[in-house]
Amino acid sequence: MSASIEKGINALKRQVDSTVAAFFSSCVHCGLCAEACLFYTETGDPKRTPINKTEPLRRIWKSEFTLMGRMGKMLGLTKKVDDKFLEEWQELVYDSCTLCGRCSMVCPVGNDIALMIRKTREGLAAAGQAPEGLIGATNRSVTIGSPMGVKWPALRAQIKHVEADTGLKIPVDVEDVEYMLLLSSMEIMNFPEFIEAVAKIFDKAGATWTISSEAFEATNSGIQIGVSDIAAELVQRVVDVADKLRVKTVISPECGHAYMAIRWDGPNLVGKAFNFKVRHILEVMDELSQQGRLKIASKESQKLTYHDPCQISRRGGVIDEPRRLIDMIADDFVEMPDAGKMNWCCGAGGGVSANERADEIRLKVFDRKKAQLEAVRPDAIISACSNCRIHLEDGLEEHNMDIPLLSLTETIAEHLAED
Amino acid sequence: MTEIELLSWARGPGLQIATIIFVAGVVIRILEILLLGRKANLAEAKGAEMSSGLRTMVTRTVPDRTTFKRSSVTIVSGYIFHIGLFVVCFFSAPHILFLKDIIGFGWPSLPTPVVDAFAVVTIIALLATLVNRLTNKVMRYLTDFEDLLTWFVTFLPVVTGYIAFHRIGFTGPSLLAIHILSVELLLIVFPFTKLMHAFTLFIARWYNGAISGYRGVAS
Amino acid sequence: MKKDLSLKDVKLKNGDSKPETLGEILRSQKVSRRSFMKFCATTASMMALPPAMIPVIANALENARRPSVIWLSFQECTGCTESLTRAHSPTLESLIFESISLDYHHTLQAASGAAAEAAREAAMEENFGNYLLVVDGSIPLDNPGYSTIAGISNLDMLIESAKGAAAIIAVGTCATYGGIPHANPNPTGAVSVKDIIKDKPIINVPGCPPIPVVITGVLAHYLTFGSIPELDHIGRPKAFYGQSIHDRCYRRPFYDKGQFAETFDDEGAKKGWCLFKLGCRGPTTYNACATTKWNNGTSFPIESGHPCLGCSEPDFWDGGGFYKALSMPTDDISKTAVYAAAGAAAAGAAIGALNRGKKNTSNKIHIKTTIDDLRK
């Protein structure tokens, strides 16, 4: 119970660096970022303009790290950052943003606004202004090991089911293997078929792999709530285990922010480069395919389209790999408008789906994805993030749209050659 | 003070003061940004930072289709006045002479009626941006005093330059003096406002491209 | 041109009845009525007066009593006098000039020394309140010794002479605005007539030197109407100083098209292109050079290939180098910019260090955030 405005302000100060300074110096209030953000386009509320969400960080940068800001502070001309202000901004920073990064792609002066919103969360969280839902999820992540409270026994039970269904052995806590697979609680609880799919693929590819009983959780609540210290603690668990087992590559599963957390933020959070590689399951499958270790025997005949999960595609760099994989298993594939690095967010990532208060707006912004789907009219949607999957299913159901969501990994596994 | 005295002051001490504030201000602000530094990236790179950064510095000039459709007025009016300003500032004969005196070399100028036409277009575009800023929902929400001030100090030199050239109103020395003074006002206001984006956008774009490029995304 | 100008001398010497009016003088000089009317018409049109005014001018001039004119020359180069008297053959302008009673003029009068000063004082006393005072040259204030006449400082002589003047015509940029002596650093403390005399009507006829016909036009106006012509905001007759050189320059089409001479002998210069780049002050200078021209309409500086110096404007000597275009800075801006950048680099480094210090402090005081720190 020790969050305070002083801690919040200090946290914001720690987040200011040359990128933040360059970005705020360049913003010309053109408003283009709003037109790229589905939380603005689907609600029409200008306070949801992305750059506006960063106002707490901007005030600290201006008053603490610029000559004229410091002088203004001495003259009492600065805009304050107090509890009331941060409380007002909570809804903008957490409920109205998934850190999807589309704003960062369109800003004409080159601002990475999503990065700045992520940094802004550090201030709000330390000041006690993070949403209840996220605080709960983070508590569970740290104390239990999973934001949804999933413990090893639950996973082990799922593993047993998979072994029974496939006849394959799922290696647990095995040392010196090629791959260590992480899993998101969402997958464990809702999509255990994913584990089955991975098992089959690795079996056919002849890859050695394992799951760790000590640190299997891929979801990083620390990233979502915006507390680097907690995010680092969660990453360290994976690092410790990966080092202990001496794995070559840690695999991030079908979860968006998990990939960002371990692949791109991870080493920077713990302050050390990893001794192992980190790859998304899509990258792994793509690599296996290049090596000729992934053979496909059949294809989907239905009309497919692909929803790019933001943290994997635009913010993660895994854009071409899924398309090469889809190419292998699709006869009729059509891209939705703005597909690729400019695809629209589903609306649920970055902690929004863990925040009950944001349920209504989350459903509202689904309209954007709906418009994209209506332009394409697919028979099914492929994606590679379970959070996107759950939310898109919610949205489609709300609008009585009967379009199934398919996991790319699962679909690949379905069409593996029996050799 | 006589008109010629005012003109001589504008061309002499006035310009000195404006130059000092402008140059010192810009240098300080840029150093303020760069010297904050950023932590090295310890993750395994998927792409090259430097080349990605340089690439985005250029490509970010071109908006993507969807964004353009949603913000066409902002983008078009913005580009027109920037291009117009560029032509008028750097391709009118008196301006080239001004720069030649400072940097030591000049370049061919455009015929005065052509520059004239660009000036008119720029003025119209600037007025359009102001109207847009005051009517567009998002821009109206974002707009503060600084936005209006910077618009004004940008608009003033173009208009006073046009008036000085066409001799509408006061006498020659006054008009020229007013024009030069308006430019000095712009120079003085510049480092304290978002007008710095003229320099810092290259830094911001580079960072954007570098950060994304590190992850293998061309932004 | 008749050198023994002082008809006053004639009066004293011969005792003959002298021609009293301008009309009588002109007839005595065998100037035909036709020529006289032509002059009046020209004067009318130059001052933008309607044709109906021509007979009025003619009548006025015809019957004009030769006003007494006292010409005081202070810190001057005599260029103004030279310009006005530069006619090679008698012109009507010079006749007008002759036909005033020029009771005192250093260069043109025959008398000198005490006799000259006595003539001046006598003319002033006799015509007190009615004589025209013409001044050329500036007045030094720093030390009266810089310029004296018969031991009298310019300042004293001006103040004294102005007392009985009906009006004062300041001729040449020195008298109107201080001119060359007034230029930086102004070692003599030179000032203009209007800086000293505040209670008499002053007509400024600037130029370095002014165009001859401008002076006579002003005189003709005064003789006709007994009043001074309409003046602009710095005291110049609008009839002659109402347009800028730039707006009447025959090379203006080249300026508009952007065709400039880059040097004095390049192709552009030979083709008579605009001289803006060579420093022409045409755009900021108001005078009649481009229309009336010099030497009876022969030419003017720009037509001869030299940029206008702006000599009819105040402080034209301090308006930056004559060969620096108007749009160029007058000082060395690049040096200023370099020094400013160097200073700013040092300041920026200091500020950068302060910023780093602040960040280090905030990093130091940061205690690792745990789940217990997420609520207030």
PDB file of all heavy atoms in Angstrom, chain A residues 1-3 10 14 16 64-65 70 83 128-129 132 135 139 229, chain C residues 355 358-359 362-363 365-366 368-369 371-376:
ATOM      1  N   MET A   1       0.847  -1.212   0.000  1.00  0.00           N
ATOM      2  CA  MET A   1       0.000   0.000   0.000  1.00  0.00           C
ATOM      3  C   MET A   1       0.867   1.239   0.000  1.00  0.00           C
ATOM      4  O   MET A   1       0.642   2.161   0.746  1.00  0.00           O
ATOM      5  CB  MET A   1      -0.916   0.033   1.233  1.00  0.00           C
ATOM      6  CG  MET A   1      -1.658  -1.251   1.464  1.00  0.00           C
ATOM      7  SD  MET A   1      -2.683  -1.663   0.048  1.00  0.00           S
ATOM      8  CE  MET A   1      -2.605  -3.426   0.045  1.00  0.00           C
ATOM      9  N   SER A   2       1.883   1.214  -0.856  1.00  0.00           N
ATOM     10  CA  SER A   2       2.796   2.346  -0.772  1.00  0.00           C
ATOM     11  C   SER A   2       2.968   3.086  -2.096  1.00  0.00           C
ATOM     12  O   SER A   2       3.989   3.708  -2.335  1.00  0.00           O
ATOM     13  CB  SER A   2       4.148   1.861  -0.263  1.00  0.00           C
ATOM     14  OG  SER A   2       4.600   0.878  -1.159  1.00  0.00           O
ATOM     15  N   ALA A   3       1.962   3.003  -2.948  1.00  0.00           N
ATOM     16  CA  ALA A   3       2.041   3.817  -4.159  1.00  0.00           C
ATOM     17  C   ALA A   3       1.866   5.285  -3.769  1.00  0.00           C
ATOM     18  O   ALA A   3       1.175   5.603  -2.813  1.00  0.00           O
ATOM     19  CB  ALA A   3       0.947   3.404  -5.129  1.00  0.00           C
ATOM     20  N   ASN A  10       8.626  10.180 -10.004  1.00  0.00           N
ATOM     21  CA  ASN A  10       9.991   9.674 -10.139  1.00  0.00           C
ATOM     22  C   ASN A  10      10.072   8.605 -11.232  1.00  0.00           C
ATOM     23  O   ASN A  10      11.035   8.539 -11.993  1.00  0.00           O
ATOM     24  CB  ASN A  10      10.491   9.100  -8.804  1.00  0.00           C
ATOM     25  CG  ASN A  10      11.991   8.973  -8.801  1.00  0.00           C
ATOM     26  OD1 ASN A  10      12.714   9.937  -9.042  1.00  0.00           O
ATOM     27  ND2 ASN A  10      12.499   7.766  -8.586  1.00  0.00           N
ATOM     28  N   ARG A  14      12.400   8.623 -14.685  1.00  0.00           N
ATOM     29  CA  ARG A  14      13.314   7.564 -15.089  1.00  0.00           C
ATOM     30  C   ARG A  14      13.049   7.130 -16.526  1.00  0.00           C
ATOM     31  O   ARG A  14      13.915   6.549 -17.176  1.00  0.00           O
ATOM     32  CB  ARG A  14      13.163   6.362 -14.151  1.00  0.00           C
ATOM     33  CG  ARG A  14      13.606   6.640 -12.723  1.00  0.00           C
ATOM     34  CD  ARG A  14      13.445   5.408 -11.847  1.00  0.00           C
ATOM     35  NE  ARG A  14      14.398   4.372 -12.199  1.00  0.00           N
ATOM     36  CZ  ARG A  14      14.108   3.075 -12.296  1.00  0.00           C
ATOM     37  NH1 ARG A  14      12.884   2.648 -12.054  1.00  0.00           N
ATOM     38  NH2 ARG A  14      15.046   2.210 -12.614  1.00  0.00           N
ATOM     39  N   VAL A  16      12.307   9.137 -19.047  1.00  0.00           N
ATOM     40  CA  VAL A  16      12.695  10.121 -20.058  1.00  0.00           C
ATOM     41  C   VAL A  16      14.082   9.795 -20.586  1.00  0.00           C
ATOM     42  O   VAL A  16      15.020   9.607 -19.827  1.00  0.00           O
ATOM     43  CB  VAL A  16      12.684  11.543 -19.470  1.00  0.00           C
ATOM     44  CG1 VAL A  16      13.241  12.531 -20.481  1.00  0.00           C
ATOM     45  CG2 VAL A  16      11.277  11.941 -19.080  1.00  0.00           C
ATOM     46  N   GLU A  64      11.128  19.032 -16.298  1.00  0.00           N
ATOM     47  CA  GLU A  64      12.342  18.555 -15.625  1.00  0.00           C
ATOM     48  C   GLU A  64      13.564  18.510 -16.522  1.00  0.00           C
ATOM     49  O   GLU A  64      14.684  18.606 -16.048  1.00  0.00           O
ATOM     50  CB  GLU A  64      12.104  17.133 -15.076  1.00  0.00           C
ATOM     51  CG  GLU A  64      10.944  17.020 -14.106  1.00  0.00           C
ATOM     52  CD  GLU A  64      11.237  17.678 -12.775  1.00  0.00           C
ATOM     53  OE1 GLU A  64      12.415  17.753 -12.386  1.00  0.00           O
ATOM     54  OE2 GLU A  64      10.290  18.142 -12.130  1.00  0.00           O
ATOM     55  N   PHE A  65      13.339  18.347 -17.814  1.00  0.00           N
ATOM     56  CA  PHE A  65      14.492  18.088 -18.676  1.00  0.00           C
ATOM     57  C   PHE A  65      14.678  19.075 -19.818  1.00  0.00           C
ATOM     58  O   PHE A  65      15.445  18.815 -20.743  1.00  0.00           O
ATOM     59  CB  PHE A  65      14.399  16.658 -19.246  1.00  0.00           C
ATOM     60  CG  PHE A  65      14.512  15.600 -18.186  1.00  0.00           C
ATOM     61  CD1 PHE A  65      13.382  14.987 -17.683  1.00  0.00           C
ATOM     62  CD2 PHE A  65      15.747  15.234 -17.683  1.00  0.00           C
ATOM     63  CE1 PHE A  65      13.485  14.015 -16.697  1.00  0.00           C
ATOM     64  CE2 PHE A  65      15.864  14.271 -16.696  1.00  0.00           C
ATOM     65  CZ  PHE A  65      14.729  13.654 -16.202  1.00  0.00           C
ATOM     66  N   ARG A  70      12.308  24.103 -17.129  1.00  0.00           N
ATOM     67  CA  ARG A  70      12.814  24.348 -15.785  1.00  0.00           C
ATOM     68  C   ARG A  70      12.570  25.793 -15.374  1.00  0.00           C
ATOM     69  O   ARG A  70      12.211  26.084 -14.234  1.00  0.00           O
ATOM     70  CB  ARG A  70      14.308  24.088 -15.718  1.00  0.00           C
ATOM     71  CG  ARG A  70      14.719  22.634 -15.772  1.00  0.00           C
ATOM     72  CD  ARG A  70      16.233  22.586 -15.800  1.00  0.00           C
ATOM     73  NE  ARG A  70      16.758  21.338 -16.261  1.00  0.00           N
ATOM     74  CZ  ARG A  70      17.486  20.545 -15.496  1.00  0.00           C
ATOM     75  NH1 ARG A  70      17.709  20.856 -14.243  1.00  0.00           N
ATOM     76  NH2 ARG A  70      18.009  19.443 -15.997  1.00  0.00           N
ATOM     77  N   ASP A  83      -2.363  13.611  -8.305  1.00  0.00           N
ATOM     78  CA  ASP A  83      -3.235  12.427  -8.265  1.00  0.00           C
ATOM     79  C   ASP A  83      -4.476  12.626  -9.125  1.00  0.00           C
ATOM     80  O   ASP A  83      -4.893  11.730  -9.864  1.00  0.00           O
ATOM     81  CB  ASP A  83      -3.646  12.134  -6.815  1.00  0.00           C
ATOM     82  CG  ASP A  83      -2.519  11.435  -6.060  1.00  0.00           C
ATOM     83  OD1 ASP A  83      -2.031  10.421  -6.593  1.00  0.00           O
ATOM     84  OD2 ASP A  83      -2.147  11.906  -4.979  1.00  0.00           O
ATOM     85  N   GLY A 128      -0.226   4.394  -8.139  1.00  0.00           N
ATOM     86  CA  GLY A 128      -1.423   3.712  -7.684  1.00  0.00           C
ATOM     87  C   GLY A 128      -2.623   3.899  -8.602  1.00  0.00           C
ATOM     88  O   GLY A 128      -3.766   3.700  -8.191  1.00  0.00           O
ATOM     89  N   GLN A 129      -2.351   4.280  -9.845  1.00  0.00           N
ATOM     90  CA  GLN A 129      -3.449   4.567 -10.767  1.00  0.00           C
ATOM     91  C   GLN A 129      -3.637   3.512 -11.839  1.00  0.00           C
ATOM     92  O   GLN A 129      -4.205   3.774 -12.887  1.00  0.00           O
ATOM     93  CB  GLN A 129      -3.211   5.940 -11.428  1.00  0.00           C
ATOM     94  CG  GLN A 129      -3.248   7.105 -10.473  1.00  0.00           C
ATOM     95  CD  GLN A 129      -4.630   7.323  -9.864  1.00  0.00           C
ATOM     96  OE1 GLN A 129      -5.612   6.755 -10.322  1.00  0.00           O
ATOM     97  NE2 GLN A 129      -4.699   8.116  -8.804  1.00  0.00           N
ATOM     98  N   GLU A 132      -7.876  -1.853 -11.463  1.00  0.00           N
ATOM     99  CA  GLU A 132      -7.982  -2.976 -10.538  1.00  0.00           C
ATOM    100  C   GLU A 132      -7.720  -4.311 -11.211  1.00  0.00           C
ATOM    101  O   GLU A 132      -6.995  -5.164 -10.672  1.00  0.00           O
ATOM    102  CB  GLU A 132      -9.397  -2.998  -9.912  1.00  0.00           C
ATOM    103  CG  GLU A 132      -9.480  -2.278  -8.590  1.00  0.00           C
ATOM    104  CD  GLU A 132      -8.390  -2.720  -7.624  1.00  0.00           C
ATOM    105  OE1 GLU A 132      -8.242  -3.940  -7.375  1.00  0.00           O
ATOM    106  OE2 GLU A 132      -7.659  -1.843  -7.145  1.00  0.00           O
ATOM    107  N   ILE A 135      -4.100  -4.884 -11.686  1.00  0.00           N
ATOM    108  CA  ILE A 135      -3.397  -5.098 -10.423  1.00  0.00           C
ATOM    109  C   ILE A 135      -3.620  -6.534  -9.969  1.00  0.00           C
ATOM    110  O   ILE A 135      -2.691  -7.228  -9.527  1.00  0.00           O
ATOM    111  CB  ILE A 135      -3.888  -4.100  -9.343  1.00  0.00           C
ATOM    112  CG1 ILE A 135      -3.512  -2.670  -9.742  1.00  0.00           C
ATOM    113  CG2 ILE A 135      -3.287  -4.452  -7.983  1.00  0.00           C
ATOM    114  CD1 ILE A 135      -3.986  -1.595  -8.768  1.00  0.00           C
ATOM    115  N   ASN A 139      -0.796  -9.311  -9.475  1.00  0.00           N
ATOM    116  CA  ASN A 139      -0.616  -9.994  -8.206  1.00  0.00           C
ATOM    117  C   ASN A 139      -0.512 -11.499  -8.414  1.00  0.00           C
ATOM    118  O   ASN A 139       0.387 -12.155  -7.899  1.00  0.00           O
ATOM    119  CB  ASN A 139      -1.809  -9.702  -7.277  1.00  0.00           C
ATOM    120  CG  ASN A 139      -1.540  -8.496  -6.402  1.00  0.00           C
ATOM    121  OD1 ASN A 139      -0.392  -8.163  -6.139  1.00  0.00           O
ATOM    122  ND2 ASN A 139      -2.597  -7.848  -5.949  1.00  0.00           N
ATOM    123  N   ASP A 229       9.958  -3.269 -13.143  1.00  0.00           N
ATOM    124  CA  ASP A 229      10.552  -4.110 -12.103  1.00  0.00           C
ATOM    125  C   ASP A 229       9.850  -5.455 -12.025  1.00  0.00           C
ATOM    126  O   ASP A 229      10.480  -6.502 -11.901  1.00  0.00           O
ATOM    127  CB  ASP A 229      10.465  -3.405 -10.737  1.00  0.00           C
ATOM    128  CG  ASP A 229      11.401  -2.210 -10.671  1.00  0.00           C
ATOM    129  OD1 ASP A 229      12.384  -2.180 -11.446  1.00  0.00           O
ATOM    130  OD2 ASP A 229      11.145  -1.299  -9.868  1.00  0.00           O
TER     131      ASP A 229
ATOM    132  N   ASN C 355      20.850  17.299 -16.793  1.00  0.00           N
ATOM    133  CA  ASN C 355      19.780  16.327 -17.055  1.00  0.00           C
ATOM    134  C   ASN C 355      20.198  14.925 -16.630  1.00  0.00           C
ATOM    135  O   ASN C 355      19.437  14.175 -16.022  1.00  0.00           O
ATOM    136  CB  ASN C 355      19.399  16.331 -18.529  1.00  0.00           C
ATOM    137  CG  ASN C 355      18.554  17.524 -18.909  1.00  0.00           C
ATOM    138  OD1 ASN C 355      18.029  18.217 -18.046  1.00  0.00           O
ATOM    139  ND2 ASN C 355      18.421  17.769 -20.197  1.00  0.00           N
ATOM    140  N   LYS C 358      20.067  14.565 -13.012  1.00  0.00           N
ATOM    141  CA  LYS C 358      18.701  14.399 -12.517  1.00  0.00           C
ATOM    142  C   LYS C 358      18.231  12.958 -12.697  1.00  0.00           C
ATOM    143  O   LYS C 358      17.611  12.361 -11.815  1.00  0.00           O
ATOM    144  CB  LYS C 358      17.778  15.362 -13.270  1.00  0.00           C
ATOM    145  CG  LYS C 358      16.427  15.509 -12.625  1.00  0.00           C
ATOM    146  CD  LYS C 358      15.584  16.534 -13.332  1.00  0.00           C
ATOM    147  CE  LYS C 358      15.789  17.902 -12.763  1.00  0.00           C
ATOM    148  NZ  LYS C 358      14.690  18.820 -13.079  1.00  0.00           N
ATOM    149  N   LYS C 359      18.545  12.398 -13.823  1.00  0.00           N
ATOM    150  CA  LYS C 359      18.150  11.014 -14.078  1.00  0.00           C
ATOM    151  C   LYS C 359      18.857  10.060 -13.123  1.00  0.00           C
ATOM    152  O   LYS C 359      18.252   9.119 -12.602  1.00  0.00           O
ATOM    153  CB  LYS C 359      18.470  10.626 -15.522  1.00  0.00           C
ATOM    154  CG  LYS C 359      17.353  10.935 -16.474  1.00  0.00           C
ATOM    155  CD  LYS C 359      17.344  10.047 -17.681  1.00  0.00           C
ATOM    156  CE  LYS C 359      16.726   8.713 -17.388  1.00  0.00           C
ATOM    157  NZ  LYS C 359      16.657   7.843 -18.552  1.00  0.00           N
ATOM    158  N   SER C 362      17.140  10.216  -9.853  1.00  0.00           N
ATOM    159  CA  SER C 362      15.851   9.516  -9.816  1.00  0.00           C
ATOM    160  C   SER C 362      16.064   8.012  -9.876  1.00  0.00           C
ATOM    161  O   SER C 362      15.307   7.243  -9.281  1.00  0.00           O
ATOM    162  CB  SER C 362      14.915   9.999 -10.924  1.00  0.00           C
ATOM    163  OG  SER C 362      15.532   9.936 -12.169  1.00  0.00           O
ATOM    164  N   ASN C 363      17.115   7.565 -10.543  1.00  0.00           N
ATOM    165  CA  ASN C 363      17.407   6.138 -10.549  1.00  0.00           C
ATOM    166  C   ASN C 363      17.855   5.674  -9.165  1.00  0.00           C
ATOM    167  O   ASN C 363      17.507   4.582  -8.704  1.00  0.00           O
ATOM    168  CB  ASN C 363      18.489   5.810 -11.578  1.00  0.00           C
ATOM    169  CG  ASN C 363      17.921   5.714 -12.983  1.00  0.00           C
ATOM    170  OD1 ASN C 363      16.751   5.372 -13.172  1.00  0.00           O
ATOM    171  ND2 ASN C 363      18.728   6.017 -13.972  1.00  0.00           N
ATOM    172  N   ILE C 365      17.125   7.031  -6.194  1.00  0.00           N
ATOM    173  CA  ILE C 365      16.096   7.011  -5.152  1.00  0.00           C
ATOM    174  C   ILE C 365      14.994   6.000  -5.464  1.00  0.00           C
ATOM    175  O   ILE C 365      14.110   5.770  -4.648  1.00  0.00           O
ATOM    176  CB  ILE C 365      15.471   8.397  -4.902  1.00  0.00           C
ATOM    177  CG1 ILE C 365      14.649   8.837  -6.117  1.00  0.00           C
ATOM    178  CG2 ILE C 365      16.533   9.408  -4.557  1.00  0.00           C
ATOM    179  CD1 ILE C 365      13.918  10.154  -5.858  1.00  0.00           C
ATOM    180  N   HIS C 366      15.089   5.393  -6.618  1.00  0.00           N
ATOM    181  CA  HIS C 366      14.042   4.434  -6.976  1.00  0.00           C
ATOM    182  C   HIS C 366      14.216   3.148  -6.189  1.00  0.00           C
ATOM    183  O   HIS C 366      15.280   2.549  -6.179  1.00  0.00           O
ATOM    184  CB  HIS C 366      14.107   4.138  -8.476  1.00  0.00           C
ATOM    185  CG  HIS C 366      13.245   2.994  -8.904  1.00  0.00           C
ATOM    186  ND1 HIS C 366      11.877   3.116  -9.031  1.00  0.00           N
ATOM    187  CD2 HIS C 366      13.526   1.708  -9.207  1.00  0.00           C
ATOM    188  CE1 HIS C 366      11.370   1.960  -9.414  1.00  0.00           C
ATOM    189  NE2 HIS C 366      12.340   1.085  -9.531  1.00  0.00           N
ATOM    190  N   LYS C 368      12.816  -0.681  -5.859  1.00  0.00           N
ATOM    191  CA  LYS C 368      12.151  -1.640  -6.737  1.00  0.00           C
ATOM    192  C   LYS C 368      10.658  -1.751  -6.413  1.00  0.00           C
ATOM    193  O   LYS C 368      10.266  -1.905  -5.266  1.00  0.00           O
ATOM    194  CB  LYS C 368      12.806  -3.001  -6.538  1.00  0.00           C
ATOM    195  CG  LYS C 368      12.776  -3.855  -7.749  1.00  0.00           C
ATOM    196  CD  LYS C 368      13.893  -4.885  -7.673  1.00  0.00           C
ATOM    197  CE  LYS C 368      13.678  -5.968  -8.699  1.00  0.00           C
ATOM    198  NZ  LYS C 368      14.629  -7.045  -8.553  1.00  0.00           N
ATOM    199  N   THR C 369       9.851  -1.646  -7.455  1.00  0.00           N
ATOM    200  CA  THR C 369       8.397  -1.710  -7.269  1.00  0.00           C
ATOM    201  C   THR C 369       7.954  -3.159  -7.149  1.00  0.00           C
ATOM    202  O   THR C 369       8.312  -4.000  -7.969  1.00  0.00           O
ATOM    203  CB  THR C 369       7.685  -1.079  -8.473  1.00  0.00           C
ATOM    204  OG1 THR C 369       8.287   0.174  -8.774  1.00  0.00           O
ATOM    205  CG2 THR C 369       6.213  -0.883  -8.188  1.00  0.00           C
ATOM    206  N   ILE C 371       4.478  -5.843  -5.969  1.00  0.00           N
ATOM    207  CA  ILE C 371       3.018  -5.845  -6.072  1.00  0.00           C
ATOM    208  C   ILE C 371       2.375  -5.109  -4.903  1.00  0.00           C
ATOM    209  O   ILE C 371       1.207  -4.719  -4.970  1.00  0.00           O
ATOM    210  CB  ILE C 371       2.440  -7.269  -6.175  1.00  0.00           C
ATOM    211  CG1 ILE C 371       3.038  -8.153  -5.075  1.00  0.00           C
ATOM    212  CG2 ILE C 371       2.712  -7.851  -7.544  1.00  0.00           C
ATOM    213  CD1 ILE C 371       2.422  -9.534  -5.048  1.00  0.00           C
ATOM    214  N   ASP C 372       3.131  -4.913  -3.809  1.00  0.00           N
ATOM    215  CA  ASP C 372       2.576  -4.173  -2.684  1.00  0.00           C
ATOM    216  C   ASP C 372       2.566  -2.674  -2.950  1.00  0.00           C
ATOM    217  O   ASP C 372       1.971  -1.914  -2.193  1.00  0.00           O
ATOM    218  CB  ASP C 372       3.393  -4.453  -1.410  1.00  0.00           C
ATOM    219  CG  ASP C 372       3.265  -5.896  -0.984  1.00  0.00           C
ATOM    220  OD1 ASP C 372       2.154  -6.455  -1.128  1.00  0.00           O
ATOM    221  OD2 ASP C 372       4.270  -6.464  -0.531  1.00  0.00           O
ATOM    222  N   ASP C 373       3.228  -2.258  -4.017  1.00  0.00           N
ATOM    223  CA  ASP C 373       3.343  -0.823  -4.283  1.00  0.00           C
ATOM    224  C   ASP C 373       2.371  -0.353  -5.340  1.00  0.00           C
ATOM    225  O   ASP C 373       2.475   0.745  -5.837  1.00  0.00           O
ATOM    226  CB  ASP C 373       4.766  -0.507  -4.741  1.00  0.00           C
ATOM    227  CG  ASP C 373       5.805  -0.933  -3.734  1.00  0.00           C
ATOM    228  OD1 ASP C 373       5.576  -0.677  -2.546  1.00  0.00           O
ATOM    229  OD2 ASP C 373       6.817  -1.530  -4.134  1.00  0.00           O
ATOM    230  N   LEU C 374       1.411  -1.225  -5.700  1.00  0.00           N
ATOM    231  CA  LEU C 374       0.534  -0.848  -6.806  1.00  0.00           C
ATOM    232  C   LEU C 374      -0.716  -0.129  -6.332  1.00  0.00           C
ATOM    233  O   LEU C 374      -1.470   0.409  -7.151  1.00  0.00           O
ATOM    234  CB  LEU C 374       0.138  -2.103  -7.605  1.00  0.00           C
ATOM    235  CG  LEU C 374       1.320  -2.830  -8.245  1.00  0.00           C
ATOM    236  CD1 LEU C 374       0.840  -4.109  -8.933  1.00  0.00           C
ATOM    237  CD2 LEU C 374       2.023  -1.939  -9.253  1.00  0.00           C
ATOM    238  N   ARG C 375      -0.918  -0.118  -5.017  1.00  0.00           N
ATOM    239  CA  ARG C 375      -2.080   0.609  -4.518  1.00  0.00           C
ATOM    240  C   ARG C 375      -1.596   1.661  -3.531  1.00  0.00           C
ATOM    241  O   ARG C 375      -0.552   1.522  -2.913  1.00  0.00           O
ATOM    242  CB  ARG C 375      -3.047  -0.359  -3.808  1.00  0.00           C
ATOM    243  CG  ARG C 375      -3.791  -1.267  -4.745  1.00  0.00           C
ATOM    244  CD  ARG C 375      -5.018  -1.874  -4.050  1.00  0.00           C
ATOM    245  NE  ARG C 375      -5.675  -2.855  -4.892  1.00  0.00           N
ATOM    246  CZ  ARG C 375      -5.351  -4.144  -4.951  1.00  0.00           C
ATOM    247  NH1 ARG C 375      -4.356  -4.611  -4.216  1.00  0.00           N
ATOM    248  NH2 ARG C 375      -6.015  -4.965  -5.743  1.00  0.00           N
ATOM    249  N   LYS C 376      -2.445   2.697  -3.404  1.00  0.00           N
ATOM    250  CA  LYS C 376      -2.019   3.800  -2.515  1.00  0.00           C
ATOM    251  C   LYS C 376      -2.167   3.405  -1.050  1.00  0.00           C
ATOM    252  O   LYS C 376      -3.070   2.673  -0.696  1.00  0.00           O
ATOM    253  CB  LYS C 376      -2.860   5.024  -2.817  1.00  0.00           C
ATOM    254  CG  LYS C 376      -2.389   5.722  -4.075  1.00  0.00           C
ATOM    255  CD  LYS C 376      -2.591   7.211  -3.970  1.00  0.00           C
ATOM    256  CE  LYS C 376      -3.987   7.528  -4.432  1.00  0.00           C
ATOM    257  NZ  LYS C 376      -4.059   8.240  -5.646  1.00  0.00           N
TER     258      LYS C 376
END
